[in-house]
Amino acid sequence: MKALVYHGPGKKSWEEKERPKIIDATDVIVRITKTTICGTDLHIMKGDVTEVKNGRTLGHEGIGVIDEAGGAVKRFKKGDQVLISCITSCGTCEQCKRGMYSHCEYGGWLLGHLIDGTQAEYVRIPFADTSLYHAPGGVNEDALVMLSDIFPTGFECGVLNGRVKPGDTVAIAGAGPIGLAALLTARFYSPSELIMIDVDDERLRKARGLGATQTINMTGVDAVKRVMELTDNRGVDVAIEAVGVPVTFEICEDIIAAGGHIANIGVFGEKVDLHMEKLWSQNITITTRLVDTVTTPMLLKSVESGNLHPEELVTHHFPLGEILKAYDTFSHAKEEKAIKVVLENR
Amino acid sequence: MKALVYHGPGKKSWEEKERPKIIDATDVIVRITKTTICGTDLHIMKGDVTEVKNGRTLGHEGIGVIDEAGGAVKRFKKGDQVLISCITSCGTCEQCKRGMYSHCEYGGWLLGHLIDGTQAEYVRIPFADTSLYHAPGGVNEDALVMLSDIFPTGFECGVLNGRVKPGDTVAIAGAGPIGLAALLTARFYSPSELIMIDVDDERLRKARGLGATQTINMTGVDAVKRVMELTDNRGVDVAIEAVGVPVTFEICEDIIAAGGHIANIGVFGEKVDLHMEKLWSQNITITTRLVDTVTTPMLLKSVESGNLHPEELVTHHFPLGEILKAYDTFSHAKEEKAIKVVLENR
Amino acid sequence: MKALVYHGPGKKSWEEKERPKIIDATDVIVRITKTTICGTDLHIMKGDVTEVKNGRTLGHEGIGVIDEAGGAVKRFKKGDQVLISCITSCGTCEQCKRGMYSHCEYGGWLLGHLIDGTQAEYVRIPFADTSLYHAPGGVNEDALVMLSDIFPTGFECGVLNGRVKPGDTVAIAGAGPIGLAALLTARFYSPSELIMIDVDDERLRKARGLGATQTINMTGVDAVKRVMELTDNRGVDVAIEAVGVPVTFEICEDIIAAGGHIANIGVFGEKVDLHMEKLWSQNITITTRLVDTVTTPMLLKSVESGNLHPEELVTHHFPLGEILKAYDTFSHAKEEKAIKVVLENR
Amino acid sequence: MKALVYHGPGKKSWEEKERPKIIDATDVIVRITKTTICGTDLHIMKGDVTEVKNGRTLGHEGIGVIDEAGGAVKRFKKGDQVLISCITSCGTCEQCKRGMYSHCEYGGWLLGHLIDGTQAEYVRIPFADTSLYHAPGGVNEDALVMLSDIFPTGFECGVLNGRVKPGDTVAIAGAGPIGLAALLTARFYSPSELIMIDVDDERLRKARGLGATQTINMTGVDAVKRVMELTDNRGVDVAIEAVGVPVTFEICEDIIAAGGHIANIGVFGEKVDLHMEKLWSQNITITTRLVDTVTTPMLLKSVESGNLHPEELVTHHFPLGEILKAYDTFSHAKEEKAIKVVLENR
């Protein structure tokens, strides 16, 4: 079969590779029908994720069809249409039992990281019973691909941890795929204001189309001052960090109202300054989280009922065989006006 | 009357001062029977709290008897024994309505800060109906004095925000009055392990007597390493910061288990390094809080029922007229083996 | 002034009455600009609410302008536009402090019940600072009148107590004003299915227009069977009772899924059969509540932001002087296709 | 091997039976070392639980040693000491994923009910990875046997659902094994008052020894009146029903304070009268639950740390071969002063 294989920083190829086989009785093999590329994949290509070794097939998102199921798999059989979760969970360890699948003792983020991933014609999924979902029929397939990672991530790390509630004023720093997924799922709770902050006017325009009530291009603008103006100097109830750099984290520190929640989604490569000399008395909460994908069933229901349209984030489609071109497009997101690219294996 | 008056950094005197008068119809005048000195008072004396001006009577803790009640006061009358809350709350603003009295638009921390305080023979208490509590009869009076500030602070900022629950492993950095109050109230929730960290063996000995299951003197010891040994490298479910300096905050960052809670109580004068490059994926929560004193009624009930003995933190008693000597003792807490000192106005 | 006065079961008149005066310093007098009639007023007229005595002015909903403010009122002054809460709260008692204003020791449901109410040109409001809200400018006034009672009631007793969450299947028994208010506010949380059950096709048609995904006219239909069909025999996550009679309560018992919530809003005059022989093992929650009106500020924000349009429930308008005619219309809701009637005092 | 086998109402025998074998790869066979008898077993013997068929080995509690493990079992191996949960859970279905193991699509209460149980020398445990716990070393074995059912039941259905919190007044109707387990675990949260209600003075004496602050023998006494006297007519914050008959449920309805929680544990055979004409406005919560055993890990930690001593409920020991005699003793609990009897297989 063909797969997108990592060969060290800056090097990848679409190459022939042996088809994955069942290793444990709880595994399945999925034939990928659609997959996508994550910002994390670009980080891997830069060499930022050192656990990823030469020869690894990348990708942790996708949908497909069960091609073969191990003997201990109860809930899936050959031919089933499935959604692959970016987080693999054993379902039996202490962390899984508390719903913190991201820290599963035997799983966690494995695909395209510690084991071969989904940017290939076939992928092996361990612990299939607890790491896959039945794909409902009659639903937009692009929408489903978005549920592997970015929607549970935006929702769990941003919206749930931020405890967004009706009437709230919410700011989201970063209008990339994750920030926009947070925006769309924040709307589940009917906040009064949804302020998006980014450096790209095109993405902010998109955000307005998806329900942002205010947008701030922080290029050459004092974003903190602007948020304070918009909120009568009160600040925001919830600030969601969806970039992963100190400057946006500190904006969140500066705009959070007393009693508010800063919910971090961003993947950080360095420490940030936490201004405890100001925040110690402000009754705030700061949260971090690697997505647990515990809300995937709810997100599936919301897609089915028409309450959520994740496909609105898909800007480009490519045949799976043109994945190198898709990486190129996704790497130049601003110029290409790309948000999410979908690869199709027909 | 006599009062302990601040005259700028390093200068205070026990001096004659005009007795306070009712200003608003919602005020009462309380004759102080017992008061105490807080670590914050020492900070004020160093000049760290610049809002406190020359001429201010210090003190935000105490019990007493209503001497006069304004015309709009409904719940208290002359002669009532009362507990004074360190936080004054109007009971009608948006913040009070959500239970965040610390950020009351008309109140908050006023006593001994923005208005004259409790280290005096008489004190004026604004918004008496929502800022005082009836002192139950037959209860240790020293215990009550401890409920003005340190017990709600340790409990709300440390234990409640830390979401201590049965079976948890809890570490508390700082075995001063606030840390010990957090220790005693953490026990309300039956954690399995209570690890106290400090630099003073005497305080750690006290902590063991109050229920700590492990103590670590961090002088010349790697406290992080020791905590990880005690927890089989798992870390703690709850880390409570009760000092207010970067070194102990960073210990909390280093010992917190995935999914854990860091609850800050400490008053910080500077920023801290938040190691997001490690914490972003650890599903942790960090909270800050100025005490709201919303749990005072529950703490009173627990004292009455014998479930809580705050008087165990009182190490010294002085007549109110010897408050300068009491300050001296409290300022040399280590040498004097002082935790809380009580001033009595007979 | 003129007022709608109760003179015993079946007897009421629109008559001249002395204008209310300030009694306590925390009172205000409000000149009513708009009021409405509640189903509870019809119950009073039948003699079901025996605490209501001959001579009482009815009504507990409305908006108006402050005509006079007592000396201890801090937040309101003559000329302020206000929304009157159906629940009066002192803001200082134990129940108010825990946010259970409905059980305020000095307040609760007073207006048009234990003291004179809002169906008059003027009304006295005790504890004004904690029982009134500033009416935001530029907002539909009919919408505001709906926030005195039915929207906080539908939301707090039905939606919040039912813990409606994204993706849920929700059934509401009763499509009267309260049931429809529950429907509109349930949508704050983006449930997947909203099933309305009633006996009136016109109201069910209205419900569909307001967002119900399914409607069941239970006349001659087995509503339980129909709900089970609609839910693949799973039952509903949340069942909201908005009628107040045993038959609809028992429907809720029969359709609730394991782990689900039955949230009662209905005012009951008799006991119901609770089928514990079936429910003991079903992990369900049943709640009751007299509205606390703690969510009024959030509802106001949602009206201002355009997320909520309570005025959609207003079907009829009358001058205040024609209130007897309005009662007549409201009493024949089905024939008149009436949901809420608004009285205007110009 | 030998097993206690049900042969229809009133008929049971200790007889030779074929040793259980692994059926699914996720099964294990456990050699029982200790088991016990539940009130539910007595119900089965009366014929009340019609799903239990002739030939069924009874029992759903116990500890033992893994004798054989199926090929797909990851967490247990031959020789491991284990605690058996009364609830079997697959760990992969929708209900298990939300922590509601009691309603597991493939499991739930199976042992001694739908499949052969633990009152035997050997038992087959399906879904071993999610239905067993490693027994910690150095812990009282009787304590562990109590964690199979009665402690998670008393804690989850009574204490957690009742939301017992520090300072609360709690009443428990029923001082049998489950009621006493609720008592001991309610103490995790430091309530101020723990009132036990029963008809047996011996059990109430035991309750006092275990921490009840008040006891009421309801024989010939108006228990409701007595509770209201003890609570200054306020009622209780939490009422736990641990009997399963209408009379005690109605006591709970009558003593619950506004805003309080009625947590049902009792297994009911008939409906009860729910007095909605009184309760509709009282802001109460009523919960039901079949134990999910989600708190077993926490209970194990609490036993290990010495915060919980479940063995205090064990009054009698018998060799497993004398189980018929043990049933006899347990059936005459009052005369024998029996609470829990432990069977030992040496």
Side-chain angles (χ1 to χ4, degrees):
Chain A
M1 70 161 191
K2 289 280 194 172
L4 192 279
V5 182
Y6 173 74
H7 291 296
K11 297 179 202 154
K12 60 179 181 295
S13 70
W14 177 246
E15 63 189 45
E16 194 62 31
K17 198 168 176 176
E18 198 180 354
R19 231 178 94 170
K21 294 194 183 70
I22 299 280
I23 298 176
D24 293 312
T26 48
D27 292 347
V28 299
I29 305 299
V30 175
R31 187 175 71 80
I32 292 294
T33 50
K34 290 198 176 188
T35 184
T36 180
I37 305 170
C38 183
T40 307
D41 296 321
L42 302 186
H43 277 291
I44 293 171
M45 286 312 307
K46 286 184 194 154
D48 291 351
V49 188
T50 53
E51 305 89 348
V52 181
K53 302 302 180 196
N54 182 6
R56 175 68 63 237
T57 300
L58 298 186
H60 50 268
E61 299 161 277
I63 59 172
V65 181
I66 304 280
D67 192 62
E68 187 185 352
V73 175
K74 291 180 66 76
R75 296 163 52 78
F76 298 96
K77 62 178 193 307
K78 186 175 163 76
D80 284 356
Q81 310 271 339
V82 293
L83 165 65
I84 298 166
S85 176
C86 66
I87 295 294
T88 302
S89 57
C90 76
T92 66
C93 72
E94 187 186 346
Q95 306 295 11
C96 283
K97 285 198 165 188
R98 68 195 278 207
M100 201 163 73
Y101 305 157
S102 57
H103 291 259
C104 170
E105 291 169 27
Y106 306 100
W109 174 32
L110 298 185
L111 295 171
H113 180 216
L114 305 180
I115 65 173
D116 283 340
T118 58
Q119 292 169 3
E121 291 178 303
Y122 292 89
V123 64
R124 179 179 71 93
I125 303 294
F127 305 113
D129 278 338
T130 39
S131 306
L132 293 177
Y133 296 92
H134 286 284
V139 165
N140 184 304
E141 292 198 342
D142 285 358
L144 295 179
V145 178
M146 301 298 108
L147 297 195
S148 285
D149 179 349
I150 67 165
F151 274 78
T153 296
F155 182 59
E156 295 177 12
C157 308
V159 177
L160 279 190
N161 271 11
R163 296 187 233 164
V164 175
K165 57 183 191 310
D168 272 0
T169 297
V170 177
I172 302 175
I178 293 285
L180 293 172
L183 168 66
L184 280 171
T185 53
R187 291 180 58 199
F188 282 157
Y189 295 99
S190 308
S192 284
E193 296 289 338
L194 268 165
I195 304 167
M196 292 297 288
I197 304 168
D198 201 291
V199 294
D200 179 344
D201 277 331
E202 176 60 23
R203 290 192 158 184
L204 291 172
R205 193 195 56 72
K206 179 81 177 179
R208 279 193 298 276
L210 297 174
T213 59
Q214 299 280 350
T215 56
I216 300 172
N217 187 325
M218 60 187 275
T219 315
V221 165
D222 184 336
V224 172
K225 194 173 156 220
R226 184 76 191 107
V227 170
M228 297 315 279
E229 284 166 7
L230 290 171
T231 59
D232 294 330
N233 269 316
R234 202 183 148 275
V236 300
D237 299 301
V238 182
I240 297 177
E241 208 288 344
V243 182
V245 297
V247 63
T248 40
F249 195 95
E250 291 202 37
I251 286 174
C252 293
E253 294 185 36
D254 285 339
I255 64 176
I256 196 72
H261 308 295
I262 298 175
N264 185 72
I265 317 179
V267 177
F268 276 80
E270 55 185 312
K271 71 182 181 186
V272 304
D273 286 343
L274 182 64
H275 290 282
M276 288 297 287
E277 77 280 12
K278 187 188 76 171
L279 296 174
W280 75 268
S281 63
Q282 294 304 296
N283 299 37
I284 64 155
T285 303
I286 300 170
T287 53
T288 70
R289 188 170 185 176
L290 180 59
V291 64
D292 294 304
T293 66
V294 285
T295 61
T296 308
M298 183 282 280
L299 294 168
L300 278 167
K301 276 192 220 169
S302 297
V303 168
E304 281 189 270
S305 70
N307 279 340
L308 183 67
H309 291 281
E311 69 275 14
E312 297 188 85
L313 301 195
V314 178
T315 51
H316 295 70
H317 290 84
F318 296 88
L320 183 54
E322 294 181 20
I323 190 167
L324 292 174
K325 194 168 150 194
Y327 261 86
D328 201 50
T329 297
F330 189 61
S331 302
H332 298 84
K334 184 163 180 164
E335 300 86 327
E336 302 284 351
K337 301 190 177 179
I339 299 172
K340 285 293 275 188
V341 301
V342 165
L343 287 307
E344 302 176 286
N345 184 29
R346 294 297 169 201
Chain B
M1 70 159 192
K2 288 281 195 173
L4 191 281
V5 181
Y6 173 76
H7 292 297
K11 298 179 199 152
K12 61 181 180 295
S13 70
W14 178 245
E15 63 187 46
E16 195 63 31
K17 196 167 178 177
E18 196 180 355
R19 231 179 92 168
K21 294 193 184 71
I22 298 279
I23 298 176
D24 293 311
T26 47
D27 292 348
V28 299
I29 304 300
V30 175
R31 187 176 71 79
I32 292 293
T33 52
K34 291 199 174 187
T35 184
T36 181
I37 306 170
C38 183
T40 307
D41 296 323
L42 302 186
H43 277 290
I44 293 171
M45 286 311 305
K46 286 184 193 153
D48 292 349
V49 187
T50 53
E51 305 89 347
V52 181
K53 302 303 181 194
N54 181 6
R56 176 67 63 234
T57 301
L58 297 186
H60 51 265
E61 297 162 279
I63 59 171
V65 181
I66 304 280
D67 192 62
E68 187 185 352
V73 174
K74 289 181 67 78
R75 296 163 52 79
F76 299 95
K77 62 179 192 306
K78 187 176 163 75
D80 285 354
Q81 310 271 338
V82 294
L83 164 64
I84 298 167
S85 176
C86 65
I87 296 293
T88 302
S89 56
C90 75
T92 66
C93 72
E94 187 186 348
Q95 306 294 10
C96 283
K97 286 199 165 185
R98 68 195 277 206
M100 201 163 73
Y101 305 156
S102 57
H103 290 258
C104 170
E105 290 168 27
Y106 306 99
W109 176 32
L110 298 184
L111 295 170
H113 180 215
L114 306 180
I115 67 173
D116 283 341
T118 59
Q119 292 169 3
E121 292 177 305
Y122 293 88
V123 65
R124 178 179 72 94
I125 303 293
F127 305 112
D129 279 337
T130 38
S131 307
L132 294 177
Y133 296 91
H134 287 283
V139 165
N140 184 304
E141 291 197 343
D142 284 359
L144 294 179
V145 178
M146 300 298 109
L147 298 195
S148 285
D149 179 349
I150 65 165
F151 274 78
T153 296
F155 182 59
E156 295 177 12
C157 308
V159 177
L160 279 190
N161 271 9
R163 297 188 234 162
V164 175
K165 59 185 189 307
D168 271 1
T169 297
V170 177
I172 302 176
I178 293 286
L180 293 172
L183 169 66
L184 280 170
T185 53
R187 292 180 57 199
F188 282 158
Y189 295 98
S190 308
S192 285
E193 297 289 338
L194 268 165
I195 304 166
M196 292 297 289
I197 304 168
D198 202 292
V199 295
D200 179 344
D201 277 331
E202 176 61 21
R203 290 194 157 182
L204 290 172
R205 194 196 54 74
K206 179 80 178 181
R208 279 192 297 275
L210 297 174
T213 59
Q214 299 281 350
T215 56
I216 300 171
N217 187 325
M218 59 186 274
T219 315
V221 166
D222 184 337
V224 172
K225 196 174 155 218
R226 185 76 191 106
V227 171
M228 296 316 279
E229 283 166 8
L230 289 171
T231 59
D232 294 330
N233 270 315
R234 200 182 150 276
V236 301
D237 299 301
V238 182
I240 297 176
E241 209 287 345
V243 182
V245 297
V247 63
T248 40
F249 194 95
E250 291 201 36
I251 287 174
C252 293
E253 294 184 34
D254 286 339
I255 63 176
I256 196 71
H261 308 295
I262 298 176
N264 185 73
I265 317 180
V267 177
F268 277 79
E270 54 184 311
K271 70 182 181 186
V272 304
D273 287 343
L274 182 64
H275 290 283
M276 287 296 287
E277 76 280 12
K278 189 187 74 171
L279 296 173
W280 75 268
S281 63
Q282 294 304 298
N283 299 36
I284 64 156
T285 302
I286 300 169
T287 53
T288 72
R289 188 169 183 177
L290 180 60
V291 64
D292 294 303
T293 66
V294 284
T295 61
T296 309
M298 183 283 279
L299 293 167
L300 278 166
K301 277 192 219 168
S302 297
V303 169
E304 282 188 271
S305 69
N307 279 341
L308 184 67
H309 291 281
E311 68 276 14
E312 296 188 85
L313 301 195
V314 177
T315 51
H316 295 72
H317 289 84
F318 297 89
L320 182 55
E322 294 181 20
I323 190 167
L324 293 173
K325 195 168 149 195
Y327 261 86
D328 201 49
T329 297
F330 188 62
S331 302
H332 299 83
K334 182 161 184 168
E335 302 85 327
E336 301 284 352
K337 301 189 178 181
I339 298 173
K340 285 293 277 187
V341 302
V342 164
L343 288 308
E344 301 176 288
N345 184 30
R346 295 295 169 202
Chain C
M1 69 159 192
K2 289 281 195 171
L4 191 279
V5 182
Y6 173 75
H7 291 297
K11 298 179 199 153
K12 60 180 180 296
S13 70
W14 177 246
E15 64 189 46
E16 193 63 31
K17 196 166 177 177
E18 198 180 354
R19 229 178 93 166
K21 293 193 184 70
I22 298 280
I23 298 177
D24 292 311
T26 47
D27 292 347
V28 299
I29 304 300
V30 175
R31 185 175 71 81
I32 291 293
T33 50
K34 291 198 175 187
T35 184
T36 181
I37 306 169
C38 183
T40 306
D41 296 322
L42 302 186
H43 277 290
I44 293 171
M45 287 312 307
K46 286 184 193 152
D48 292 350
V49 188
T50 53
E51 305 90 346
V52 181
K53 302 303 180 194
N54 181 4
R56 176 68 63 235
T57 301
L58 298 185
H60 51 266
E61 297 161 277
I63 59 171
V65 181
I66 303 281
D67 192 62
E68 188 185 352
V73 175
K74 289 180 67 73
R75 296 163 52 79
F76 298 95
K77 61 178 193 305
K78 185 174 164 77
D80 285 354
Q81 309 272 339
V82 294
L83 164 65
I84 298 166
S85 175
C86 65
I87 295 294
T88 302
S89 57
C90 76
T92 66
C93 71
E94 186 186 348
Q95 306 294 10
C96 283
K97 285 198 165 188
R98 67 196 278 208
M100 202 164 72
Y101 305 157
S102 57
H103 290 258
C104 170
E105 292 169 26
Y106 306 99
W109 175 32
L110 299 184
L111 295 171
H113 181 215
L114 306 180
I115 67 174
D116 284 340
T118 58
Q119 292 169 2
E121 292 179 304
Y122 292 88
V123 64
R124 179 179 71 93
I125 304 293
F127 305 113
D129 278 337
T130 40
S131 306
L132 293 177
Y133 296 90
H134 287 284
V139 165
N140 184 304
E141 291 197 342
D142 285 359
L144 294 179
V145 178
M146 301 298 109
L147 297 195
S148 284
D149 179 347
I150 65 165
F151 274 79
T153 296
F155 181 59
E156 295 177 12
C157 308
V159 177
L160 278 191
N161 272 10
R163 296 188 233 163
V164 175
K165 58 183 188 311
D168 272 0
T169 297
V170 177
I172 301 175
I178 294 285
L180 292 172
L183 168 66
L184 279 171
T185 54
R187 292 180 58 198
F188 282 157
Y189 295 99
S190 309
S192 284
E193 296 289 338
L194 268 165
I195 304 167
M196 293 297 290
I197 304 168
D198 201 291
V199 295
D200 179 344
D201 276 331
E202 176 60 21
R203 289 191 159 186
L204 291 173
R205 192 194 56 73
K206 180 81 178 180
R208 279 192 298 275
L210 297 174
T213 58
Q214 299 281 350
T215 57
I216 300 171
N217 187 325
M218 60 186 275
T219 315
V221 166
D222 184 336
V224 172
K225 194 173 156 222
R226 185 77 191 106
V227 170
M228 297 315 277
E229 284 166 7
L230 289 171
T231 60
D232 294 330
N233 270 316
R234 202 183 148 275
V236 300
D237 299 301
V238 182
I240 297 176
E241 209 288 346
V243 182
V245 297
V247 63
T248 40
F249 195 94
E250 292 203 35
I251 286 173
C252 292
E253 293 185 36
D254 286 339
I255 63 176
I256 195 72
H261 308 296
I262 298 176
N264 185 71
I265 317 179
V267 177
F268 277 80
E270 55 186 310
K271 71 182 180 185
V272 303
D273 287 342
L274 183 64
H275 290 282
M276 287 297 286
E277 76 280 12
K278 188 187 76 169
L279 295 174
W280 75 268
S281 63
Q282 294 304 296
N283 299 37
I284 64 155
T285 302
I286 300 171
T287 53
T288 70
R289 188 169 184 175
L290 180 59
V291 64
D292 293 303
T293 66
V294 284
T295 60
T296 308
M298 183 283 280
L299 293 168
L300 278 167
K301 276 192 222 170
S302 297
V303 168
E304 281 188 271
S305 70
N307 280 340
L308 184 67
H309 291 282
E311 69 275 12
E312 298 188 83
L313 300 195
V314 178
T315 51
H316 294 71
H317 289 84
F318 296 89
L320 183 54
E322 294 180 21
I323 190 167
L324 293 173
K325 194 168 150 196
Y327 261 87
D328 201 50
T329 297
F330 189 62
S331 302
H332 298 83
K334 183 162 182 168
E335 302 86 328
E336 301 285 349
K337 301 191 176 178
I339 298 172
K340 286 293 276 187
V341 302
V342 164
L343 289 307
E344 302 176 287
N345 184 30
R346 295 295 168 198
Chain D
M1 68 158 195
K2 289 280 196 173
L4 192 279
V5 182
Y6 174 74
H7 291 297
K11 298 180 200 152
K12 61 178 179 297
S13 71
W14 177 246
E15 64 189 44
E16 193 63 30
K17 195 167 177 176
E18 196 180 358
R19 229 178 95 170
K21 293 193 184 71
I22 298 279
I23 297 176
D24 293 311
T26 47
D27 292 347
V28 299
I29 305 300
V30 175
R31 187 175 71 80
I32 292 292
T33 51
K34 290 198 176 189
T35 183
T36 182
I37 305 170
C38 183
T40 307
D41 296 322
L42 302 185
H43 277 292
I44 293 171
M45 286 311 307
K46 285 184 193 153
D48 291 351
V49 188
T50 52
E51 305 89 347
V52 181
K53 302 302 180 197
N54 181 6
R56 175 70 60 238
T57 300
L58 297 186
H60 51 267
E61 296 160 280
I63 59 171
V65 181
I66 303 282
D67 192 62
E68 187 186 352
V73 175
K74 290 179 67 75
R75 295 161 54 78
F76 299 96
K77 62 178 190 308
K78 186 175 163 77
D80 284 354
Q81 309 271 339
V82 294
L83 165 65
I84 298 167
S85 176
C86 66
I87 295 294
T88 302
S89 56
C90 75
T92 66
C93 73
E94 187 186 349
Q95 306 295 10
C96 283
K97 285 199 164 187
R98 68 196 276 207
M100 202 163 74
Y101 305 157
S102 57
H103 290 259
C104 170
E105 291 168 26
Y106 306 98
W109 175 32
L110 298 184
L111 295 171
H113 181 216
L114 305 180
I115 66 173
D116 283 341
T118 59
Q119 291 170 3
E121 291 178 304
Y122 293 88
V123 64
R124 179 180 70 94
I125 304 293
F127 304 112
D129 278 337
T130 39
S131 306
L132 294 178
Y133 296 91
H134 287 284
V139 165
N140 184 305
E141 291 197 342
D142 285 0
L144 294 180
V145 178
M146 301 298 109
L147 297 195
S148 286
D149 179 349
I150 66 167
F151 274 78
T153 296
F155 182 59
E156 295 177 11
C157 308
V159 177
L160 279 191
N161 271 8
R163 295 187 234 164
V164 175
K165 58 183 191 308
D168 271 1
T169 297
V170 177
I172 302 175
I178 292 285
L180 293 172
L183 169 65
L184 280 171
T185 53
R187 292 180 58 201
F188 281 158
Y189 295 98
S190 308
S192 284
E193 296 289 339
L194 268 165
I195 305 167
M196 292 297 289
I197 304 168
D198 201 292
V199 295
D200 179 344
D201 277 331
E202 176 61 21
R203 291 194 156 184
L204 290 172
R205 193 196 55 74
K206 178 81 178 180
R208 278 193 298 276
L210 297 175
T213 58
Q214 300 281 349
T215 56
I216 300 172
N217 187 325
M218 59 185 276
T219 314
V221 166
D222 184 336
V224 172
K225 194 172 158 222
R226 185 75 189 107
V227 171
M228 296 315 278
E229 284 166 8
L230 290 171
T231 59
D232 294 332
N233 269 316
R234 202 183 149 277
V236 300
D237 299 301
V238 183
I240 297 176
E241 210 287 345
V243 182
V245 297
V247 63
T248 40
F249 194 94
E250 291 202 35
I251 287 174
C252 292
E253 294 184 34
D254 285 339
I255 64 177
I256 196 71
H261 308 296
I262 299 176
N264 186 73
I265 316 180
V267 177
F268 277 80
E270 55 185 310
K271 70 182 181 186
V272 304
D273 287 343
L274 182 64
H275 290 283
M276 287 297 287
E277 75 280 13
K278 187 187 76 169
L279 296 173
W280 74 268
S281 64
Q282 295 304 294
N283 300 39
I284 65 155
T285 303
I286 301 170
T287 53
T288 71
R289 189 170 182 176
L290 179 60
V291 63
D292 294 303
T293 66
V294 283
T295 61
T296 309
M298 183 284 279
L299 294 167
L300 278 167
K301 277 193 220 168
S302 296
V303 169
E304 281 189 270
S305 70
N307 279 341
L308 184 67
H309 291 280
E311 68 276 14
E312 296 189 85
L313 302 194
V314 177
T315 52
H316 294 71
H317 289 83
F318 296 89
L320 182 55
E322 294 181 19
I323 191 167
L324 292 173
K325 193 167 152 196
Y327 260 88
D328 201 50
T329 297
F330 188 62
S331 302
H332 298 83
K334 182 161 183 168
E335 302 85 325
E336 302 284 350
K337 300 191 179 179
I339 298 173
K340 284 294 275 186
V341 302
V342 164
L343 288 309
E344 301 176 288
N345 184 30
R346 294 297 168 200

